[in-house]
Amino acid sequence: MTWFYAFDLFGVAVFAISGALVAGRKSMDLFGVLVIAIITSLGGGTLRDAILDNHPVSWIRNDVYILVAVLAAIGTILWVRFTRPIHETGLLIADAFGLAVFTVIGTQVALQQDVPVSAAVIMGVMTGVAGGVMRDVICNEIPLIFHKEIYATACIAGSVVYIALHQLNTTPNLDVTIAVLTVLVIRLAAIRWHLGLPRFHLLDRDPPDRGQ
């Protein structure tokens, strides 16, 4: 098993866990939990591969991806059922790990397709956030990407770091490790200290004319 493949499966497992946790908060049945877990863990990569015309997508040519997602979801159900519930912080941390891993993997896949750097960054961000957005929309939640804490910005930073290291011809393992840690540290710091980007508020300079 290559380092890239192992990291990919790890990302699938972690995002499946976050999907199962959100589905559990919505009191879904077993089928619903599995569906949300699979969408969360494979949705971003599927969208990326479709845009890059990279066919067949990973989970179609290798059923290990579906198996890992299902096992991670079932394991989450059993853990919560027989131990104790995982609170909001646990969900956010699980999502942060998946975000970090998938962002770097998405950037790697895009670079292998010889796309421009800007496109590689976009594909990295898309791989990291799209599955979570699908999960939250289906579960009638506000997507984490729209919360006040830094989210997609962490993906951009990690993707740029990976590309920079890759162009410096450093070792692949070092590239991946540093880039993943970049996303993870930024995202966890944002969660811990509620860090966010400045907001843009458009205010009317003149009050509307209400007439006489």
Side-chain angles (χ1 to χ4, degrees):
M1 179 182 295
T2 64
W3 176 261
F4 178 87
Y5 183 51
F7 240 62
D8 202 8
L9 293 181
F10 174 76
V12 169
V14 174
F15 256 159
I17 290 171
S18 73
L21 291 175
V22 173
R25 290 170 57 192
K26 296 296 182 178
S27 301
M28 294 187 182
D29 60 16
L30 177 60
F31 180 75
V33 172
L34 294 179
V35 169
I36 297 300
I38 291 172
I39 289 174
T40 306
S41 58
L42 301 177
T46 300
L47 183 59
R48 175 203 66 220
D49 288 344
I51 292 175
L52 293 176
D53 197 25
N54 184 23
H55 298 295
V57 298
S58 57
W59 59 270
I60 291 179
R61 62 176 178 265
N62 186 353
D63 57 7
V64 172
Y65 288 94
I66 295 287
L67 179 61
V68 168
V70 170
L71 291 177
I74 293 175
T76 302
I77 294 171
L78 295 176
W79 175 267
V80 173
R81 179 68 60 86
F82 294 109
T83 56
R84 55 185 178 182
I86 299 177
H87 298 291
E88 182 73 15
T89 301
L91 169 60
L92 292 175
I93 292 174
D95 185 87
F97 272 97
L99 185 72
V101 172
F102 272 7
T103 296
V104 176
I105 288 174
T107 307
Q108 285 181 315
V109 171
L111 290 177
Q112 290 170 0
Q113 299 293 319
D114 295 323
V115 302
V117 169
S118 59
V121 173
I122 292 172
M123 291 299 105
V125 175
M126 179 183 299
T127 307
V129 307
V133 171
M134 295 177 193
R135 171 199 66 203
D136 293 338
V137 169
I138 294 173
C139 293
N140 197 29
E141 294 276 343
I142 298 176
L144 287 175
I145 192 174
F146 298 136
H147 284 201
K148 63 180 181 180
E149 290 91 0
I150 289 173
Y151 195 83
T153 307
C155 300
I156 295 173
S159 182
V160 169
V161 166
Y162 177 82
I163 292 171
L165 292 173
H166 180 73
Q167 292 181 344
L168 291 174
N169 293 319
T170 54
T171 61
N173 290 354
L174 181 65
D175 297 350
V176 171
T177 301
I178 293 179
V180 166
L181 287 176
T182 299
V183 180
L184 190 59
V185 168
I186 293 175
R187 178 60 185 146
L188 292 180
I191 294 171
R192 174 64 179 83
W193 290 293
H194 304 289
L195 304 177
L197 298 176
R199 295 191 176 191
F200 173 62
H201 296 282
L202 184 62
L203 301 177
D204 292 331
R205 292 183 177 273
D206 299 316
D209 185 7
R210 298 181 181 275
Q212 301 296 325

